[in-house]
Amino acid sequence: MTPGFLWRNFKYAVLAIFIVAAVVTPTPDVVTQCIFAAPMLLLYLIGILVAWFFGRDREAPRIPDGP
């Protein structure tokens, strides 16, 4: 999972997060839904930062030359 992939699919993640927040919110209140969605969005963005931080030292695998 690369940070670029996570960032490109951010709009789908926001949609999924708000659907999950709408399901788990105890009231049909929009403010409460946003309160439930905010920490999940923050965790998603932190996940992008972690993927970027730990993935930047990795080199592309090299294909060995013939025998």
Side-chain angles (χ1 to χ4, degrees):
M1 190 93 26
T2 65
F5 173 80
L6 293 172
W7 190 251
R8 280 191 308 271
N9 293 306
F10 181 70
K11 59 185 172 186
Y12 302 114
V14 170
L15 177 65
I17 286 169
F18 272 92
I19 289 172
V20 169
V23 171
V24 299
T25 303
T27 61
D29 179 21
V30 175
V31 174
T32 307
Q33 180 183 353
C34 290
I35 290 171
F36 272 74
M40 290 188 275
L41 284 171
L42 184 63
L43 286 172
Y44 188 84
L45 293 173
I46 290 172
I48 292 174
L49 287 174
V50 168
W52 174 79
F53 183 74
F54 285 106
R56 62 186 173 145
D57 294 337
R58 211 178 280 174
E59 287 185 17
R62 295 179 186 219
I63 299 173
D65 294 335

